Amino acid sequence: MTALETWELRAEFARRLSAMYGREVPAYNTLVEVSTEVNEAYAAKHGAEAERLGSIARVTAERHGAIRVGSPKEMAQVARVFAAFGMYPVGFYDLRDASSSSVPVVSTAFRPIDGAELAKNPFRVFTSMLAAEDPRFFDQELRAELAAFIGARQLFGEELLTLADKAAADGGLPADDADRLLELATAAFELSGDPVDYEWYKKLEAVSAVASDIGGVSTTHINHLTPRVLDIDELYKRMQDRGISMIDEIQGPPRWDGPDLLLRQTSFRALGENRVFRYADGSTSEGELRVRFGEVEARGMALTVAGRDLYDRMVAETDARLVVAPAGTTRVEVAAGVWAENLPRTEKELALQGLAFFTYRLDDAALDSASLQSAPLAGTASLAGLVEAGIAVPEPIVYEDFLPRSAAGIFQSNLTEEGSKDEAQLGTSYDIHRMSEIVGSEVHDPNDLYQRQQDASIAALAHRLNITITH
């Protein structure tokens, strides 16, 4: 193995994790196989249009993982590990109030932030931290027990952290160090065979199955690994046809006849996995846990702040209409109607209304057309005018991030119990700024990243036209 650059480390890390997870959860291999089939069929049917939001090679190789850690110390350490692979914290997600079930976690996602790096390999890991200080979920005694248990374990060894810091500082590693980093990093997320303390696990499970999965075991592990698919509705059908039990619905935006927006997700249900339990008398025996599942996603275009505000209003409107809808009406049916009423159906209109992020490509043919010869561009032009004239062609920016309600919906759909939550207590405050303090570096605002990408594109367009472009 020759020296590896950061993106090569990231691609190999994703490949090794995928192989490991496939051995641990064989149904994941079926999910990847069906995703590939669906993507190939979609590409054959739609041609170049299928690659509107990324090349088929990128989409088929694309994965996002999910892990869970138990404390700010563990979160800071995992941030160091991911930095070795050019993956940085983006976005803050508070799942504590995004679900009717007890999901006591706050999250960020580690991913590349540069467009070229995303194009090479867009591996991302949604990383949740147990909100162990929140008295709504954990009383004083349980908080102390959790702090002691989590404080006594070591998820990431010193050799791994040292190599990770070196890779992050140097932008890659020599061959031998790279192989060792990859070996240690992959092993850190492997499901452990260590016996699980039955009473401790069940004590946490009474609060939340998510809490027991994080704080009830001695290690962390990949909770799910997610391929990307171009037609998630077709995948859902094909998985069921193969006899694999899927969750009840696809999370996120509904299927409709307009452009793909944001993120749609679904999963097969958590499968029973054999684990060894240790009991109070010191004896051990095999039992079963259902905490890991296979998720799949379909990515659309990123929405602006105005677009996200509209999306949130449409979600609220869907909720309200569903309450009074006739029996048997599905959420998908209601949501599709709400979307049809509120959203433009073309990328061009989304761009003109400032609802989605785009890069802009110069159409030389439109610029040279006879209709423009009599009114050449000079000085200043509006972006909207350039779009209307066909000179600036909007091309959608892929949504690289997550939706709190959808993430919580996936978690909830794979829980067997609601858990417990004391609403009389005041919840602990978390936000993007506190998460930045926890991970030890800035947690990037996704909107800022998309806006920079769009602004750079407009600036490049203005330079080519030798004009000032106004918004």
Side-chain angles (χ1 to χ4, degrees):
M1 182 188 286
T2 58
L4 296 185
E5 296 179 19
T6 300
W7 77 267
E8 293 172 307
L9 287 171
R10 182 170 64 254
E12 180 62 13
F13 184 42
R15 190 196 67 77
R16 292 192 186 195
L17 286 175
S18 188
M20 180 191 76
Y21 194 66
R23 291 191 297 270
E24 294 179 347
V25 185
Y28 164 75
N29 294 326
T30 303
L31 186 63
V32 171
E33 179 185 327
V34 176
S35 297
T36 301
E37 290 175 1
V38 170
N39 288 343
E40 289 174 350
Y42 190 91
K45 181 178 179 180
H46 295 276
E49 189 62 26
E51 299 188 284
R52 190 83 175 131
L53 293 167
S55 70
I56 295 300
R58 171 188 158 159
V59 170
T60 301
E62 192 165 338
R63 299 287 185 274
H64 97 244
I67 65 162
R68 299 162 175 173
V69 297
S71 68
K73 178 182 177 181
E74 291 179 351
M75 192 67 147
Q77 289 179 336
V78 84
R80 291 167 63 187
V81 173
F82 290 141
F85 304 103
M87 299 160 66
Y88 308 104
V90 179
F92 171 75
Y93 308 91
D94 193 337
L95 305 192
R96 294 175 295 169
D97 297 314
S99 167
S100 60
S101 295
S102 177
V103 183
V105 299
V106 291
S107 313
T108 189
F110 292 89
R111 68 167 177 86
I113 58 175
D114 177 77
E117 288 293 306
L118 283 162
K120 289 174 181 175
N121 184 278
F123 185 49
R124 54 182 82 78
V125 179
F126 190 83
T127 304
S128 299
M129 183 189 77
L130 189 65
E133 300 173 358
D134 196 324
R136 294 177 298 171
F137 303 97
F138 310 104
D139 61 27
Q140 185 173 357
E141 178 183 347
L142 193 50
R143 291 199 298 274
E145 289 178 311
L146 266 172
F149 183 89
I150 291 171
R153 71 186 185 185
Q154 184 181 42
L155 301 185
F156 311 102
E158 283 305 316
E159 183 183 4
L160 169 58
L161 294 172
T162 299
L163 282 171
D165 291 343
K166 185 177 190 311
D170 297 347
L173 285 176
D176 289 345
D177 283 347
D179 192 58
R180 183 61 175 160
L181 170 69
L182 288 160
E183 177 187 344
L184 293 172
T186 303
F189 300 108
E190 187 174 5
L191 189 67
S192 171
D194 293 347
V196 176
D197 185 319
Y198 181 82
E199 290 187 6
W200 173 237
Y201 190 93
K202 289 298 181 182
K203 187 174 186 178
L204 291 175
E205 192 176 47
V207 174
S208 168
V210 175
S212 57
D213 185 50
I214 300 172
V217 293
S218 59
T219 63
T220 189
H221 49 257
I222 291 289
N223 182 259
H224 58 262
L225 205 57
T226 304
R228 180 177 165 191
V229 71
L230 293 171
D231 187 342
I232 198 168
D233 300 275
E234 176 63 18
L235 176 128
Y236 189 95
K237 176 182 178 299
R238 290 194 187 196
M239 290 292 286
Q240 288 185 312
D241 289 345
R242 290 193 179 208
I244 295 177
S245 178
M246 305 293 287
I247 64 172
D248 292 338
E249 62 183 25
I250 294 170
Q251 303 288 328
R255 180 166 193 155
W256 74 309
D257 60 357
D260 294 328
L261 305 178
L262 295 174
L263 176 69
R264 302 179 72 206
Q265 298 171 281
T266 192
S267 80
F268 60 72
R269 293 193 181 279
L271 303 174
E273 295 181 276
N274 291 335
R275 300 290 292 275
V276 177
F277 286 101
R278 184 180 62 251
Y279 297 92
D281 63 3
S283 65
T284 61
S285 68
E286 275 203 352
E288 186 180 85
L289 293 180
R290 291 178 177 269
V291 294
R292 304 202 301 170
F293 48 90
E295 186 179 324
V296 67
E297 65 189 17
R299 292 192 170 270
M301 65 183 73
L303 296 184
T304 61
V305 172
R308 285 298 298 270
D309 287 345
L310 175 58
Y311 173 75
D312 290 342
R313 292 198 301 273
M314 290 191 296
V315 169
E317 177 65 20
T318 299
D319 290 342
R321 291 191 189 182
L322 194 58
V323 172
V324 298
T329 304
T330 68
R331 179 176 184 83
V332 171
E333 292 169 339
V334 175
V338 172
W339 277 53
E341 292 172 16
N342 289 276
L343 277 171
R345 283 182 169 79
T346 67
E347 292 178 3
K348 179 179 176 180
E349 280 302 316
L350 285 167
L352 290 172
Q353 294 184 32
L355 296 175
F357 287 108
F358 295 87
T359 57
Y360 289 88
R361 172 176 57 82
L362 178 64
D363 188 321
D364 292 308
L367 183 62
D368 293 337
S369 68
S371 61
L372 288 168
Q373 295 297 327
S374 58
L377 290 171
T380 301
S382 71
L383 180 62
L386 293 172
V387 171
E388 289 282 18
I391 297 170
V393 180
E395 298 188 327
I397 295 175
V398 179
Y399 185 63
E400 304 285 357
D401 299 288
F402 299 91
L403 302 173
R405 178 167 170 150
S406 295
I410 294 284
F411 280 23
Q412 179 177 339
S413 295
N414 283 286
L415 299 178
T416 56
E417 303 291 340
E418 290 290 316
S420 62
K421 182 179 177 183
D422 184 0
E423 295 289 5
Q425 299 289 332
L426 184 64
T428 307
S429 177
Y430 289 95
D431 58 19
I432 195 169
H433 304 294
R434 184 172 180 192
M435 185 61 79
S436 296
E437 294 172 358
I438 289 169
V439 301
S441 62
E442 178 190 1
V443 176
H444 299 274
D445 184 325
N447 291 321
D448 291 344
L449 298 179
Y450 298 129
Q451 188 67 58
R452 277 184 233 163
Q453 190 176 353
Q454 178 170 286
D455 289 348
S457 169
I458 294 170
L461 186 68
H463 179 74
R464 283 201 62 190
L465 293 171
N466 195 28
I467 60 171
T468 298
I469 297 178
T470 61
H471 293 252

